[in-house]
Amino acid sequence: MVANIHKQVGSIKSELEIIQCFLKDADARAETGEISDGVKVWVKQVRELAYLIEDVFDEYVLHLAERPPWCGFISFFYKITFSIFKLKLRHDIASQIQEIKTDLIEIKSKAERYGFSSLEQGSSSMTTWHDPRVASLFLEEDEVVGIESPRDKLISILVAEESKRVVISIVGMAGLGKTTLAKKVYDNQSVTGHFDCRAWIPVSQSYKPEDLLREMIKQFHKSRKDFVPEGIDTMGETSLISELREYLQSKRPLPEDKAWGLFCKKAFQSNTEDCPPVLKILSLEIVRRCEGLPLAIVAIGGLLSTKNKVVSEWQKLCHSLGFELERNPHLTSMTKIILLSYHDLPCHLKPCFLYFGLVPEDFAIYGDRLIKLWIAEGFVKEQKSKTLEEVGEEYLNELIHRSLVQGSEDAFYRVHDLVREIILSKFEELSFCQVLSGENPKFDPKTRRLSIHNNMDNVLEITEKLFDWIPKLQSLETLRLNWTRLSDDPMKSLQDLPNLVELTLYQVYDGERAHFEAEGFQKLKKLYLAGLKGLSSLKIDKGALPLLEDLSIEASPQLKEVPSGIHYLTKLTLLEFRDMPEEFSDRIEPDEGQDYWIVKHIPVVKFWIKDTESGNYQTYIPQD
């Protein structure tokens, strides 16, 4: 079994490629409601097995892939030592491959046992997808507020005296009220009186062009009270186009006051003056979280209208909005509307979008940092003549263009609170990430990513639990810890995580010495250390951090010497320091710095120095 390890790895790699294609197809079918809940559970098990295959393959590439031939007498002894050291790893990987093959057989058996093979052909028994925007077509005029200005502008464009063909696009994120606005313009008397014929054509996710053309012809004739041509239901696409040509020839968000008015109308069935004083603060917070989205306000207001007008009931919804999104039928339409934008994303953008769920609520993330995280995760794919950073920036711009991500002038980015709640619901379904918080302190050892959100009241308790179970997270790839203020060196607990790629520690450790031991952090590529106020010594053993590419150390004023052993990091391409003591930078000056020899192999060594007058940061590169 061990002797054929390379052949076995090739076999499961081929299996992984097939599984990944299957998962893409399964995700596409799930988005349109074509698979049942039972099949979704089975698909989730297949996805988790794919993750396991990825981990085994990475382990193989790191330790056991074919290497160039050994040369020399000394190398002969090193080869013997190396072979003995790797023998156990070969056996472990071979054993894991056998377990994977057994699991594959079991998963296939489940598919046959429960009839899941129907996934490939589709099933007439599955729930039909209904366009969630239909409800907006039947809103009464007095139920719609805040669209008067864009409605009047669109009407003025449509009824202008100059007659010409024109396309007007109404764009914005899901739930902004685009369909509602278009329908109110379409039904406006000025518009209906201006045009000889008109048609309202909804386009679903799956459609046939001839059906759209056929419906358009019928509506045109109906609007002019003409008879519909005979045989239209049997015409092909070309004939329908000819018939149509011949016939034709003779979110913006609500402002605060409007949002508040709409909420009160839905929640209290009356005007703003009828909001009970005890519910005023909570109500304003709920409206704030809707960020002016009319459909969100209508859905949540309608839900609250069914609740007792007591503080406890409203607090429950305000604090557990994510659960209500999934559970409460009043919010189903809003959820589906926002999910439309997610489902429309190409495969390479979906994990990038989901990554925003790792960021705590009401926080934003710096664009450059976000792109680096995407790259470390492997989300960003190489393109000819472009750097990965440039490709990542294109990804981010596309998400902004699709109105799924909100940006600011200072290059920080976030998602709407309600969009974030839906992202969190996808986390569990796709085993993408687990968010650990005071409300959800239990962990899943199979999680691929872990994001810890907590307040200062429970930080100590969660921290103690964290370092008891964190070594069990064998699939964890990204870990960020803030403000734990440990007294013991955290590297001991973290160094054996086999798949950890990125580690960020901010104000995590109050001790004086940190130690990266040999054979620790074997896959880590990016390491960010900041706010380690008491740290005076950082030691790196030979054999630790063999794949590290980026190392950043910030705001550690007691660290006055370059980390011992940094010259062992042969893969390091970027070393950054920010807010460090002046004597620290003096020690790595190219000409006279006594520690320059330690960092001279690193392509880029960069200091970020804060200007005391302006408060802005300037970069200084010693090599310059």
Side-chain angles (χ1 to χ4, degrees), residues 334-350:
M334 181 184 63
T335 303
K336 288 184 178 179
I337 288 170
I338 297 176
L339 280 173
L340 281 176
S341 296
Y342 167 75
H343 291 158
D344 190 54
L345 288 175
C347 291
H348 66 275
L349 285 183
K350 286 183 177 178

Side-chain angles (χ1 to χ4, degrees), residues 193-384:
H194 183 78
F195 293 96
D196 291 332
C197 56
R198 62 197 181 107
W200 177 270
I201 309 295
V203 181
S204 62
Q205 288 181 311
S206 58
Y207 65 91
K208 295 180 179 179
E210 54 266 32
D211 290 341
L212 300 183
L213 292 168
R214 190 174 292 114
E215 180 64 22
M216 191 180 300
I217 293 172
K218 289 180 178 180
Q219 290 199 33
F220 280 166
H221 282 77
K222 182 179 179 181
S223 66
R224 298 183 64 175
K225 299 182 180 180
D226 295 334
F227 290 105
V228 177
E230 293 183 4
I232 192 174
D233 291 330
T234 59
M235 289 183 182
E237 184 176 349
T238 303
S239 300
L240 288 168
I241 292 174
S242 299
E243 178 73 26
L244 185 58
R245 288 173 61 89
E246 182 179 347
Y247 181 80
L248 291 176
Q249 281 178 350
S250 55
K251 202 182 132 157
R252 186 185 76 142
L254 297 176
E256 291 183 5
D257 58 335
K258 297 285 187 181
W260 176 243
L262 178 59
F263 174 81
C264 290
K265 182 184 295 185
K266 288 296 180 182
F268 306 115
Q269 306 296 310
S270 58
N271 59 39
T272 58
E273 296 178 356
D274 291 330
C275 174
V278 294
L279 297 178
K280 184 70 175 286
I281 295 177
L282 278 172
S283 298
L284 289 171
E285 171 62 16
I286 293 170
V287 172
R288 183 194 68 79
R289 293 192 66 182
C290 292
E291 295 188 2
L293 294 181
L295 285 178
I297 296 170
V298 168
I300 294 177
L303 169 62
L304 286 170
S305 69
T306 67
K307 303 283 187 181
N308 294 326
K309 304 302 185 289
V310 294
V311 173
S312 59
E313 287 278 353
W314 290 48
Q315 277 181 335
K316 182 179 178 181
L317 182 130
C318 189
H319 293 316
S320 60
L321 185 56
F323 178 69
E324 293 284 355
L325 275 171
E326 185 69 26
R327 183 184 67 86
N328 201 293
H330 287 80
L331 301 180
T332 299
S333 293
M334 181 184 63
T335 303
K336 288 184 178 179
I337 288 170
I338 297 176
L339 280 173
L340 281 176
S341 296
Y342 167 75
H343 291 158
D344 190 54
L345 288 175
C347 291
H348 66 275
L349 285 183
K350 286 183 177 178
C352 298
F353 172 65
L354 292 177
Y355 211 76
F356 279 91
L358 275 72
V359 182
E361 184 179 4
D362 295 327
F363 281 80
I365 184 170
Y366 189 51
D368 286 348
R369 179 170 177 75
L370 175 65
I371 291 170
K372 285 183 178 180
L373 292 171
W374 286 349
I375 292 172
E377 291 276 3
F379 298 159
V380 181
K381 307 304 179 184
E382 291 185 358
Q383 295 182 12
K384 290 183 179 180

